[in-house]
Every structure is written in structure tokens, then in C-alpha cells.
Amino acid sequence: MSLEKWAAIASIGLFAMFVGEMISIYNFMTSIPANFEFGVEFEPNSKILQFISIGIAPASILAALSFILSKRYGSKPIGSIILGGGIILLIGMTYCYTLLDNLVVPYLTDAVKITPPLFMGISIPIMTVGIFLIKTNKKRPKKEYF
């Protein structure tokens, strides 16, 4: 397989990992009391920023890389993989957005409120790029070795 296909596969894996992390932290914040035992506190802002930096940032960079490498000729498999990553991100962030009403009040910070709608909006250009690659079908020229 080519580099752009591997990058697209890695990006969909990272999109799914980010969605899983966000769903788990939002479920965690709905089920825990405001204060832990033993005086340990939980700060959701730092965890969300950590999940963004290890999940969605590399996923979007890899999706952009595979788009840049295949945009001239298009590719149905790569476009469908990128489109699938955008759909996974949209569905996961929609679910996280529905959990906002159930959160404990001390954990309802600005980062917790802003993250799901922000990444729902980011999923739309990702899906658009995937659709663009699916629609573009040009024949690749053969490499000429001199």
C-alpha cells in the first residue's frame, strides 16, 4: 500500500481513539462525586487538552497528509477512510455533547463545554475532504524511469 493509504488508516484509528477518550472522560465526569476520597481532585481541562494533543491533532495532520498526497488524482479508498474518520468524530462529539447536561457542576468548565461543538464543526471539513477525494477520479500516470 502507498503512504497516503497508511496515513489515512492511522488517522481513522486516531480519530476513533480520541472519540473513545472523550466519551470515557465525559462518562467519568457524570458518575463521580464533586470531591474524591483522600482529597484528590480531578481537573478536566488538562485531561481534555492532553487528549487533543495525542488524539485529534495527529489524526487531522495525517488526514491532511493523505489528502495532499492524493488530491491531484483522487482515491475512493482514501476518501472513504477520511470520510469515515469525520463521521466517527461527528457521532462521538454529538454523544459527548448530549452528556453535558448530566455533568457535575464543578467539572462544567469552558473547555468541557466548548470541546464537543468545536470538534463537531471540525468534522465537517474532514468529511468534505473525504467526499472530494471520492468524487475526483483521474488516471494516475505511470512513473517514467530515466
Side-chain angles (χ1 to χ4, degrees):
M1 283 196 282
S2 59
L3 174 66
E4 56 266 15
K5 196 174 285 187
W6 282 111
I9 291 169
S11 74
I12 196 169
L14 286 169
F15 281 127
M17 183 184 79
F18 174 72
V19 166
E21 290 169 343
M22 292 302 291
I23 288 173
S24 67
I25 195 170
Y26 276 70
N27 280 331
F28 178 73
M29 287 188 294
T30 59
S31 63
I32 61 172
N35 292 327
F36 280 106
E37 295 178 18
F38 309 114
V40 178
E41 293 186 19
F42 173 71
E43 295 194 21
N45 292 344
S46 60
K47 282 295 178 192
I48 288 175
L49 290 175
Q50 178 185 8
F51 292 156
I52 289 170
S53 67
I54 64 172
I56 196 72
S60 54
I61 290 170
L62 287 172
L65 173 71
S66 61
F67 170 70
I68 289 169
L69 290 175
S70 61
K71 72 178 177 181
R72 183 175 294 162
Y73 305 109
S75 174
K76 285 185 181 183
I78 295 171
S80 60
I81 291 171
I82 293 174
L83 177 66
I87 291 170
I88 288 171
L89 185 63
L90 179 66
I91 291 171
M93 291 298 105
T94 304
Y95 179 70
C96 288
Y97 187 72
T98 61
L99 293 176
L100 282 177
D101 296 334
N102 303 333
L103 292 181
V104 181
V105 175
Y107 303 126
L108 203 57
T109 62
D110 290 336
V112 172
K113 292 179 197 173
I114 291 173
T115 303
L118 175 69
F119 289 111
M120 278 191 276
I122 289 175
S123 69
I124 294 170
I126 293 170
M127 290 186 290
T128 306
V129 163
I131 291 170
F132 175 78
L133 286 178
I134 291 171
K135 297 279 184 183
T136 305
N137 280 328
K138 294 181 183 173
K139 193 170 186 178
R140 286 188 179 205
K142 293 185 179 181
K143 287 186 177 181
E144 294 181 16
Y145 296 99
F146 297 106

